[in-house]
C-alpha cells in the first residue's frame, strides 16, 4: 500500500462523514482564514506604504536639515553660512554617489489667473532635478529645464490642486492650461507644465468607481470619513505645488531687498538629494557629510533627514501586527489540530474491527499507520483550502464593514504558507492516533464489538 | 501417510503452548499441541466450546504467536517472526474465513474482495481482474457494486471466501464458516471449500457440526487445549 491509496481511503472516510469532518476541520479553517487575512492585510498595508513612500521620493530621498549646533561649536555658530546654494553646488560634485540635487527656496505669494481665480500659495523655486528628487510626474507640458534656470525664465509648473483652484470652472474638462499666463505677486508667469494628481490608492479607486457612473459602493456612503476631501492626505504638498526656477524666484522675489547676499550664498529653505545607489547609502551619507563640513566651515549645524527611520518604524509595527495575527492564527490551528487528533482517536475506536480485518488480510503496521495519517493529513489539507475560501470571504466582509486604508494583497506565498501550516497540523495531529492504531493486536481487534 | 520433511509441511506445530493472562490464574488456551498438516489436506477441527480451536487457528493463521513451542507455516517458522513477516504470510500464503464474515461495511463487494491485493501492492487494473475472477468462482459477479449490508448472510460469506482465495494462497483457514448460516447457505460455502481443496489447496476447517466434519478426510478433536483425537476417515 502506498500514500495514494492511503489518501483515497482518507478521502472516502471524509465523504462518509461529511458533517463530522467539517466540524473537525473548523478549527483549521478558522486558523487558516485568520492566517491568510493577517498576511493579506499586512501585505496590503506594506504595499500601500511602499507606494506612498515611492511617491514621496522613495528611500533614496535624503533631506539636509538645519540643526542646533552642538555645545562645543556654540560660539562659532554664527560663522556657518547655513544651508546655501553652495551646498547644493558642492553636492553636484559627487555624481557617482548623488544622482540628483534639488535645493529649494520658498516664498508665500498670491497667484492670480486673469481668466480665473486668485489664490494664495507657497511658491517653490528649485532646480530641474526636483522632478526626480520629489518623484513628480508631469501630466501635461514639461518640467523646469536647465535653460529656464539659466535664463531666470518666468515659467511655472502647477500641481493639480492649484489648477483646480485657479480655474475651478474649467478643471476636469478638456481645457488646456499650458501656455496660459498667471501672475505671481503681480509678475506674469507662463504655465509650462501641470503635475499629475497624486492620491492614495483608496481615493483612486473611489474616483474611478464614481467616474464609471455606477452606484458608489455602499461603504463609501456610511460613516463620517469621506476620504480625500475629509482629510488632508500626505500628498497635498505635491498637489499644491507651484514650482518656478530657483534663479527666477530669487531674482524676482528676493533680491533688490537691502542686504541680499549673492545667489550662491542665499539661504535655502530645503535641500534634498537623491542617493544614486541604495546599497551605498551609508557611504553616500558619509561623503556628503564630509563635503558639507567643508562648506559649513566645520560647524555641525546640519542633519540628515532620511526615510530609513520611518521605514524601519513601519516595518517594526508591521512585524508586530504580523506577530499578533500569527499568534491568533497559531492558537486556532493548535485548537484545530487537537480537534483533529481527538476525532481521529474516536474514529479509530469506532473502526477497531475494520482495522483488525485489514491486519488479518495482510496490512502491515505501517500500512495502518499511513492510512490514519493520510486521513488526518487530508482533513488538514481540505481544511486549509476551505480556510483559504473563508479567508477571502473574511477579507471581503472586513472591507465592507470597515473600509481599509490599503486594500489587502493576497500573495502566493501567503497561500502556500497557510495551506502548508494546515497540512502540517493535519500530519502532526494524526501522528499519535496513527501510532495508536498501528499498535492494535489483530485478534483483539477482530474480537472487538 | 508418507512422512515428508518438516519444511514441506503446510502446517507444523511442535509442543505449542498458548497462555492468556499473566496474573494469578492464567488460561492455557493451548496446552502442548503438536500437529502436522501436509499440503493438500482437508482437516476438520472439532471440540467443545473453549477447547482452543480458534486459538489454534489464529496461530496457524499467523495472527498470533505462541507462548512457547514452534509453529511453522508454509515452511516458515513464525514462532519468533516480526509483525511485518507475519503480515506478509497472512497476505500471500493464507486465506482466512471467519464465522462473523468480517467484511468492511463501507466497501462494496469488489472492494472487499480486492483488499488483500491492495496490501500485496498489486496495481489497480490487475486487482480488478483478479477480484472479478474470484467473484465468479463464488458466483457473485452480479453483486460487485453492492455493499455487505445489501447482501444476505450466505452471500456475505461467499464474498469472504472470494477474499480468502483472491491472492491464491496455499492454505485456507475457516473458523466455523457455517456457524451463522442456514443449512442451504452453509452447504454452499462447504461446497466452495471442497472445490478449493480439489484445486490443490490445504484446507483447515473448524466446526461443531459432526456432519460437516464428516466431509473432511481428517478430523482433529480438541479438549482443554489439547488434541485428544486425530482420525483419518
Ligand atoms: N484474549 C484472551 N484472553 C484470555 N483468555 C482467552 C483469550 N482468548 C481466548 N481465551 C481463552 O482461551 C480458551 C480457548 O478459547 P478459544 O477461542 O480458542 O476456544 P474455541 O475452541 O474457539 O471455542 P468456541 O468453540 O466457543 O469458539 C478459552 O477458555 C478462552 O476463554
Ligand atoms: Mg472459536
Amino acid at each position: 500500500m502506498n500514500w495514494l491509496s492511503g489518501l483515497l481511503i482518507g478521502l472516502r472516510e471524509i465523504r462518509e462523514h461529511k458533517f463530522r469532518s467539517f466540524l473537525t476541520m473548523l478549527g483549521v479553517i478558522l486558523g487558516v482564514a485568520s492566517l491568510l487575512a493577517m498576511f493579506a492585510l499586512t501585505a496590503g498595508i506594506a504595499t500601500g506604504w511602499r507606494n506612498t513612500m515611492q511617491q514621496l521620493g522613495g528611500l533614496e530621498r535624503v533631506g539636509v536639515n538645519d540643526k542646533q549646533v552642538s555645545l562645543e561649536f556654540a560660539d562659532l555658530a554664527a560663522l556657518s553660512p547655513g544651508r546655501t546654494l553652495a551646498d547644493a553646488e558642492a553636492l553636484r560634485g559627487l555624481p557617482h554617489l548623488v544622482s540628483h540635487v534639488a535645493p529649494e527656496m520658498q516664498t508665500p505669494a498670491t497667484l492670480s489667473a486673469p481668466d480665473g481665480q486668485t489664490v494664495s500659495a507657497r511658491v517653490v523655486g528649485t532646480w530641474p532635478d526636483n522632478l526626480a528628487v520629489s518623484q513628480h510626474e508631469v501630466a501635461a507640458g514639461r518640467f523646469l529645464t536647465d535653460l529656464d534656470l539659466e535664463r531666470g525664465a518666468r515659467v511655472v509648473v502647477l500641481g493639480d490642486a492649484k489648477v483646480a483652484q485657479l480655474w475651478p470652472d474649467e478643471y476636469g474638462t478638456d481645457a488646456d492650461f499650458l501656455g496660459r499666463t498667471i501672475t505671481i505677486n503681480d509678475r506674469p508667469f507662463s504655465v509650462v507644465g501641470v503635475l499629475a494628481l497624486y492620491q492614495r490608492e483608496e481615493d483612486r479607486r473611489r474616483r474611478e468607481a464614481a467616474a464609471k457612473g455606477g452606484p458608489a459602493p455602499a461603504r463609501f456612503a456610511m460613516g463620517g470619513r469621506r476620504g480625500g476631501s475629509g482629510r488632508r492626505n500626505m500628498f497635498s504638498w505635491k498637489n499644491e505645488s507651484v514650482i518656478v526656477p530657483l534663479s527666477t524666484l530669487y531674482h524676482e522675489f528676493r533680491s533688490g531687498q537691502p542686504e541680499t547676499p549673492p545667489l550662491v550664498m542665499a539661504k535655502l529653505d530645503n535641500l534634498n538629494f537623491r542617493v544614486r545607489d541604495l546599497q551605498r547609502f551609508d557611504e553616500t551619507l558619509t561623503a556628503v557629510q564630509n563635503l558639507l563640513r567643508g562648506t559649513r566651515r566645520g560647524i555641525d549645524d546640519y542633519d540628515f533627514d532620511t526615510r530609513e527611520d520611518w521605514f524601519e518604524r513601519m516595518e517594526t509595527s508591521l512585524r508586530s501586527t504580523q506577530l499578533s495575527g500569527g499568534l491568533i492564527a497559531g492558537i486556532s490551528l493548535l485548537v484545530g489540530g487537537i480537534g483533529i487528533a481527538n476525532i481521529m482517536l474516536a474514529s479509530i475506536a469506532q473502526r477497531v474491527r475494520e482495522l483488525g480485518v485489514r491486519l488479518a488480510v495482510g496490512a502491515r503496521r505501517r500500512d495502518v499507520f499511513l492510512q490514519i495519517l493520510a486521513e488526518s493529513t487530508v482533513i488538514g489539507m481540505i481544511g486549509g483550502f476551505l480556510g483559504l475560501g473563508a479567508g477571502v470571504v473574511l477579507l471581503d466582509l472586513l472591507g465592507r464593514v470597515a473600509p481599509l486604508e490599503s486594500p489587502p494583497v493576497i500573495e502566493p506565498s501567503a497561500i502556500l504558507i497557510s495551506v502548508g501550516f494546515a497540512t502540517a497540523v493535519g500530519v502532526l495531529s494524526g501522528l499519535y492516533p496513527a501510532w495508536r492504531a498501528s499498535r492494535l493486536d489483530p485478534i483483539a481487534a477482530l474480537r472487538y464489538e | 501417510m508418507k512422512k515428508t520433511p518438516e519444511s514441506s509441511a503446510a502446517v507444523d506445530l511442535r509442543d505449542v503452548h498458548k497462555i492468556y493472562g499473566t496474573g494469578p490464574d492464567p488460561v492455557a488456551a493451548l496446552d502442548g499441541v503438536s500437529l502436522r498438516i501436509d499440503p493438500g489436506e482437508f482437516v476438520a477441527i472439532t471440540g467443545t466450546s473453549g477447547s482452543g480451536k480458534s486459538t489454534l487457528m489464529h496461530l496457524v493463521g499467523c495472527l498470533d504467536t505462541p507462548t512457547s513451542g514452534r509453529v511453522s507455516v508454509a515452511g516458515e517458522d513464525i514462532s519468533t517472526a516480526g509483525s511485518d513477516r507475519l503480515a506478509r504470510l497472512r497476505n500471500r500464503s493464507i486465506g482466512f474465513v471467519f464465522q462473523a464474515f468480517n467484511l468492511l461495511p463501507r466497501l462494496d463487494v469488489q472492494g472487499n474482495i480486492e483488499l488483500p491485493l491492495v496490501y500485496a501492492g498489486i496495481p489497480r487494473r490487475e486487482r480488478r481482474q483478479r477480484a472479478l475472477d474470484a467473484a465468479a468462482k463464488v458466483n457473485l459477479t452480479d453483486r460487485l457494486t453492492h455493499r455487505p449490508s445489501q447482501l444476505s448472510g450466505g452471500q456475505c460469506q461467499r464474498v469472504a471466501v472470494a477474499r480468502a482465495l483472491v491472492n491464491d494462497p496455499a492454505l485456507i483457514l475457516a473458523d466455523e464458516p457455517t456457524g451463522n448460516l442456514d443449512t442451504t447457505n452453509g452447504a454452499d460455502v462447504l461446497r466452495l471449500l471442497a472445490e478449493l481443496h480439489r484445486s490443490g489447496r490445504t484446507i483447515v476447517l473448524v466446526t461443531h457440526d459432526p456432519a460437516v466434519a464428516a466431509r473432511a478426510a481428517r478430523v482433529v478433536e480438541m479438549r482443554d487445549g489439547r488434541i485428544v483425537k486425530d482420525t483419518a476417515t
Side-chain angles (χ1 to χ4, degrees):
Chain A
M1 189 166 91
N2 51 29
W3 263 102
L4 188 67
S5 32
L7 285 177
L8 289 179
I9 294 171
L11 272 175
R12 182 162 46 223
E13 208 55 48
I14 289 161
R15 217 174 42 216
E16 291 289 332
H17 307 280
K18 286 193 196 69
F19 190 62
R20 190 184 77 183
S21 305
F22 174 73
L23 288 182
T24 311
M25 290 171 196
L26 212 53
V28 175
I29 293 175
L30 290 179
V32 167
S34 45
L35 202 62
L36 185 79
M38 185 272 296
F39 275 130
L41 287 176
T42 49
I45 293 170
T47 310
W49 276 353
R50 275 191 205 105
N51 284 344
T52 303
M53 178 83 154
Q54 203 51 48
Q55 295 200 26
L56 291 180
L59 267 177
E60 292 91 341
R61 180 185 161 125
V62 177
V64 179
N65 285 351
D66 283 328
K67 181 188 86 169
Q68 199 70 37
V69 295
S70 52
L71 268 180
E72 48 176 323
F73 290 117
D75 307 339
L76 306 169
L79 290 177
S80 167
R83 201 165 43 180
T84 66
L85 210 53
D87 290 343
E89 296 287 1
L91 283 177
R92 274 190 158 170
L94 295 172
H96 57 295
L97 294 173
V98 174
S99 62
H100 299 87
V101 184
E104 280 181 16
M105 281 185 203
Q106 298 181 355
T107 190
T110 306
L111 268 61
S112 181
D115 50 351
Q117 305 291 313
T118 299
V119 297
S120 60
R122 173 167 294 273
V123 177
V124 174
T126 186
W127 285 358
D129 271 2
N130 189 268
L131 183 71
V133 172
S134 296
Q135 296 279 292
H136 282 309
E137 196 184 316
V138 177
R142 61 173 178 84
F143 201 70
L144 304 178
T145 62
D146 285 332
L147 199 63
D148 293 333
L149 197 71
E150 219 169 277
R151 296 202 328 222
R154 286 189 185 168
V155 293
V156 62
V157 176
L158 294 173
D160 187 85
K162 272 287 166 281
V163 172
Q165 289 161 17
L166 283 167
W167 296 284
D169 297 337
E170 289 174 80
Y171 178 75
T173 67
D174 290 338
D176 185 7
F177 302 101
L178 298 180
R180 296 193 185 197
T181 301
I182 61 168
T183 61
I184 301 178
N185 284 354
D186 295 331
R187 288 161 210 252
F189 277 75
S190 173
V191 178
V192 295
V194 174
L195 298 179
L197 171 65
Y198 302 101
Q199 52 190 340
R200 288 174 304 155
E201 204 48 40
E202 184 196 357
D203 297 335
R204 186 197 315 281
R205 280 181 299 140
R206 175 172 318 142
R207 219 173 289 252
E208 275 163 10
K212 271 193 210 126
R219 60 195 234 200
F220 300 133
M222 48 189 275
R225 238 176 67 188
R226 289 211 299 112
S229 58
R231 238 178 15 158
R232 279 176 63 85
N233 69 51
M234 56 205 324
F235 299 125
S236 64
W237 66 271
K238 292 182 82 171
N239 290 325
E240 300 269 342
S241 292
V242 178
I243 301 170
V244 300
L246 182 70
S247 52
T248 313
L249 183 128
Y250 184 75
H251 293 304
E252 299 289 344
F253 305 119
R254 287 274 174 91
S255 65
Q257 293 156 19
E259 287 170 41
T260 331
L263 175 57
V264 53
M265 290 315 284
K267 289 223 190 270
L268 297 174
D269 294 300
N270 269 316
L271 174 56
N272 294 307
F273 63 90
R274 202 171 157 79
V275 176
R276 183 174 290 280
D277 183 2
L278 274 184
Q279 313 252 278
R280 301 170 71 186
F281 194 83
D282 291 338
E283 182 190 342
T284 306
L285 284 195
T286 313
V288 171
Q289 186 125 24
N290 291 335
L291 199 77
L292 292 183
R293 197 165 291 144
T295 63
R296 302 294 176 90
R297 299 180 186 165
I299 296 160
D300 64 337
D301 60 344
Y302 56 90
D303 205 356
F304 292 123
D305 175 22
T306 68
R307 304 288 158 125
E308 273 204 318
D309 306 344
W310 193 55
F311 203 68
E312 249 159 46
R313 269 203 302 282
M314 249 166 47
E315 301 268 282
T316 317
S317 82
L318 212 59
R319 250 193 301 278
S320 64
T321 311
Q322 269 170 349
L323 204 69
S324 50
L327 205 66
I328 295 173
I331 291 172
S332 310
L333 283 175
L334 184 71
V335 171
I338 294 171
I340 293 182
N342 192 22
I343 291 290
M344 291 311 296
L345 286 173
S347 123
I348 289 167
Q350 249 180 32
R351 283 189 287 158
V352 168
R353 231 186 137 92
E354 172 199 321
L355 296 173
V357 172
R358 290 183 183 276
L359 288 169
V361 301
R364 293 163 303 175
R365 296 199 180 286
R366 85 180 70 127
D367 294 325
V368 171
F369 185 87
L370 270 186
Q371 177 188 337
I372 302 299
L373 197 64
E375 196 176 322
S376 71
T377 305
V378 169
I379 289 181
M381 240 156 68
I382 295 179
F385 283 113
L386 291 180
L388 284 185
V392 171
V393 172
L394 187 73
L395 286 171
D396 189 53
L397 281 179
L398 220 60
R400 278 172 209 277
V401 173
L404 300 166
E405 185 95 3
S406 5
V409 176
I410 300 179
E411 289 167 338
S413 63
I415 294 179
L416 276 178
I417 292 176
S418 305
V419 177
F421 261 112
T423 309
V425 164
V427 173
L428 288 179
S429 55
L431 283 177
Y432 175 66
W435 180 80
R436 280 277 296 266
S438 73
R439 303 322 295 171
L440 277 175
D441 171 34
I443 297 169
L446 280 172
R447 282 229 180 96
Y448 191 86
E449 288 309 324
Chain B
M1 199 178 287
K2 204 170 66 188
K3 283 275 175 195
T4 42
E6 178 210 312
S7 62
S8 68
V11 175
D12 193 54
L13 280 73
R14 297 270 175 87
D15 192 26
V16 168
H17 293 255
K18 181 71 191 179
I19 295 161
Y20 284 114
T22 45
D25 48 3
V27 181
L30 292 181
D31 191 13
V33 170
S34 294
L35 178 68
R36 179 194 164 89
I37 299 174
D38 284 316
E41 274 196 273
F42 190 148
V43 181
I45 296 176
T46 61
T48 51
S49 184
S51 56
K53 306 181 294 293
S54 294
T55 306
L56 178 68
M57 291 296 262
H58 291 153
L59 290 180
V60 174
C62 299
L63 286 164
D64 209 350
T65 47
T67 309
S68 70
R70 264 177 56 115
V71 178
S72 305
V73 176
E76 283 200 57
D77 181 5
I78 63 151
S79 323
T80 53
S83 74
D84 276 9
R85 236 180 94 208
L86 292 178
R88 197 186 155 79
L89 274 170
R90 290 197 293 272
N91 187 239
R92 311 286 164 94
S93 310
I94 297 163
F96 224 114
V97 181
F98 302 92
Q99 177 176 1
F101 317 145
N102 278 335
L103 300 179
L104 295 194
R106 282 200 290 277
L107 294 183
D108 59 13
V109 168
Q110 159 102 33
N112 269 289
I113 296 177
E114 273 185 11
L115 206 57
L117 302 177
V118 171
Y119 294 108
I122 308 274
R124 197 183 181 78
R125 184 190 301 266
E126 190 184 339
R127 286 208 306 257
R128 190 150 289 265
Q129 188 50 50
R130 282 169 70 172
L132 215 68
D133 293 347
K137 277 187 193 143
V138 299
N139 203 10
L140 272 176
T141 14
D142 53 340
R143 289 283 186 280
L144 283 176
T145 56
H146 289 58
R147 288 191 173 195
S149 58
Q150 299 166 311
L151 299 179
S152 73
Q155 287 168 332
C156 281
Q157 198 60 303
R158 269 146 61 197
V159 173
V161 172
R163 181 179 65 189
L165 64 84
V166 74
N167 236 353
D168 198 24
L171 177 60
I172 290 189
L173 306 175
D175 192 348
E176 298 188 50
T178 59
N180 285 357
L181 302 178
D182 61 29
T183 347
T184 337
N185 281 313
D188 265 357
V189 169
L190 287 174
R191 210 180 46 245
L192 283 171
L193 290 177
E195 265 169 42
L196 290 172
H197 175 232
R198 268 198 300 284
S199 67
R201 292 182 179 80
T202 313
I203 314 278
V204 182
L205 168 74
V206 170
T207 181
H208 279 299
D209 186 344
V212 171
R215 303 180 59 154
R218 179 177 172 197
V219 180
V220 173
E221 193 183 332
M222 296 190 65
R223 192 181 304 145
D224 296 333
R226 296 169 196 267
I227 294 179
V228 292
K229 224 195 232 170
D230 188 346
T231 50
T233 54

